[in-house]
Amino acid sequence: MNILLTSCGRRAYLVKYFKEALAKTGGGEVHCVNSDPVSPCAAVCDRFSVAPEICDERYIGFLLDYCQKNKINGLVSLFDIDLPVLASARELFEKTGTFLVIPDRAVLDLVSDKYLLGQALGRDGLAVPESFLNPEEFLAACDLPAVVKPRCGTGSIETYIAENGGELAFFFERSEKRAEETYIRHGQKDIPRGQRTLVQRFVKGDEYGLDIVFDLKGGYVGTLARKKIRMRSGETDACVTVKDPLMEETGAKIAQTLSKEGLLRGCIDADVIVSDGKAFVIDVNARFGGGYPFSHNAGADIPLAIVKQLAGDDFDRSLVTQRPGVVAAKAPDIFTVRE
């Protein structure tokens, strides 16, 4: 069996996890592609290729040809901007024999728009921060501080906390402008200018990360949770795994809301802040999140669950369990990509 990870970037740990999963199930190769040739994943995968950029019209054709030539059984994307492009070509990939381990396009459209996502979650009874599309509406309804961020952002890019009115106006204009200069622009092109930046009530409390897991038929399986100790560059840098009924209930409710739009597959990620006894859903990423290694380190193995299903086995629920109370932290490493 062969697995392809697209937009693999720095997540060398996921390459390692999938290689270990293949070794446990009869062998195979982990392939990686990225538009950046200096990718850490290139140093640890079995095969690496440089792909066109996601917005390039050659991108899907390149991947289809790659999957067919290399007999790729399952494809997992690790980047938000990549997901809807791939989902739109699902039938083409299936014709090559490649299963896309990503949600349906309608789910991705909802998750990528933080404003619409918040409205959908709120309608289903989940706590979410009040959100507005301009500073004036926010100030008329809420007290400062405020969180300012791109409506279709990712990785905490152009995300700020405004403590006063001057900062709010400045950060709003800056986020609106700077998002146009990053890859975020590809995800927000269908949203009118002036409505691309979100202003939210700042929620203070304990922060948690969730891995919400689905089988490859779209069934919700369970939620793994961790309490964040430290953040760095928009990702969890240190945390402790927990078994928390509130987090498990929140993950199940998020799954229920998103499943109204279509099927979800594999592992998605959510950020939650507990304040005054309520679990506020701050964000959802429809892919493996940067906090998944902590769940894996504590005993979960979602890559193995995916590989076993691709081989025709039923979902192994024992792989969606972790030991609570495991404190862990990330550390940087160096990878020789080529010499």
Side-chain angles (χ1 to χ4, degrees):
M1 178 176 295
N2 296 322
I3 301 294
L4 174 62
L5 305 181
T6 64
S7 299
C8 53
R10 299 171 58 238
R11 300 197 175 177
Y13 52 81
L14 275 173
V15 178
K16 174 186 174 184
Y17 299 160
F18 274 101
K19 289 178 74 171
E20 291 172 348
L22 290 173
K24 295 175 182 177
T25 54
E29 294 181 332
V30 176
H31 297 236
C32 290
V33 298
N34 199 294
S35 59
D36 183 356
V38 187
S39 168
C41 285
V44 293
C45 66
D46 295 302
R47 297 193 192 185
F48 176 82
S49 290
V50 178
E53 293 189 354
I54 296 167
C55 58
D56 193 311
E57 62 182 13
R58 299 171 297 167
Y59 180 62
I60 290 297
F62 168 86
L63 289 180
L64 289 170
D65 183 62
Y66 189 95
C67 287
Q68 189 167 30
K69 288 181 177 178
N70 293 281
K71 298 180 180 179
I72 300 297
N73 301 93
L75 185 154
V76 178
S77 174
L78 307 180
F79 187 37
D80 301 294
I81 306 299
D82 195 22
L83 291 167
V85 177
L86 293 169
S88 296
R90 186 181 299 277
E91 292 184 1
L92 296 176
F93 281 98
E94 289 178 351
K95 289 179 180 179
T96 71
T98 301
F99 186 90
L100 297 187
V101 189
I102 63 175
D104 285 348
R105 176 63 193 262
V107 176
L108 298 169
D109 288 342
L110 177 62
V111 170
S112 66
D113 189 323
K114 300 178 190 300
Y115 185 67
L116 296 182
L117 175 64
Q119 290 183 325
L121 294 172
R123 284 194 299 268
D124 284 351
L126 282 148
V128 293
E130 294 98 318
S131 299
F132 305 88
L133 295 178
N134 61 67
E136 293 75 24
E137 289 182 355
F138 173 87
L139 291 172
C142 301
D143 295 327
L144 292 162
V147 177
V148 182
K149 60 185 179 183
R151 180 172 170 176
C152 298
T154 181
S156 296
I157 293 174
E158 298 305 316
T159 297
Y160 308 98
I161 297 177
E163 301 285 351
N164 55 58
E167 289 183 352
L168 178 57
F170 175 79
F171 288 145
F172 185 85
E173 293 299 325
R174 177 185 174 91
S175 184
E176 187 89 359
K177 179 178 183 296
R178 293 288 296 274
E180 284 289 319
E181 301 170 358
T182 72
Y183 51 72
I184 291 174
R185 67 185 184 277
H186 301 301
Q188 64 181 20
K189 61 184 179 181
D190 295 329
I191 298 176
R193 294 178 184 274
Q195 299 181 26
R196 296 176 175 178
T197 301
L198 207 58
V199 184
Q200 292 183 325
R201 181 172 71 86
F202 178 76
V203 179
K204 185 176 182 180
D206 293 326
E207 297 187 37
Y208 292 80
L210 308 181
D211 294 316
I212 306 172
V213 184
F214 301 81
D215 63 31
L216 297 191
K217 296 180 181 179
Y220 170 69
V221 178
T223 295
L224 301 166
R226 54 196 164 268
K227 185 177 181 181
K228 300 180 183 182
I229 297 173
R230 185 173 64 239
M231 296 289 291
R232 188 186 301 272
S233 301
E235 284 195 358
T236 305
D237 193 54
C239 70
V240 56
T241 55
V242 298
K243 184 170 179 58
D244 187 318
L246 178 59
M247 293 301 104
E248 293 173 3
E249 178 186 0
T250 301
K253 286 183 176 179
I254 292 172
Q256 185 177 34
T257 296
L258 298 183
S259 293
K260 293 178 181 179
E261 302 296 322
L263 299 180
L264 292 97
R265 305 167 182 87
C267 186
I268 72 170
D269 167 83
D271 295 318
V272 175
I273 294 178
V274 176
S275 179
D276 296 328
K278 294 182 179 180
F280 287 83
V281 182
I282 304 302
D283 199 9
V284 177
N285 301 297
R287 51 164 172 77
F288 277 101
Y292 172 73
F294 297 105
S295 297
H296 198 94
N297 178 67
D301 199 337
I302 308 309
L304 179 56
I306 290 171
V307 168
K308 292 179 71 173
Q309 288 175 93
L310 289 172
D313 295 344
D314 292 333
F315 194 101
D316 186 347
R317 290 180 176 270
S318 69
L319 299 175
V320 191
T321 59
Q322 64 179 4
R323 301 183 304 280
V326 178
V327 179
K330 289 181 179 177
D333 206 345
I334 297 294
F335 298 88
T336 300
V337 176
R338 60 178 180 271
E339 293 186 1

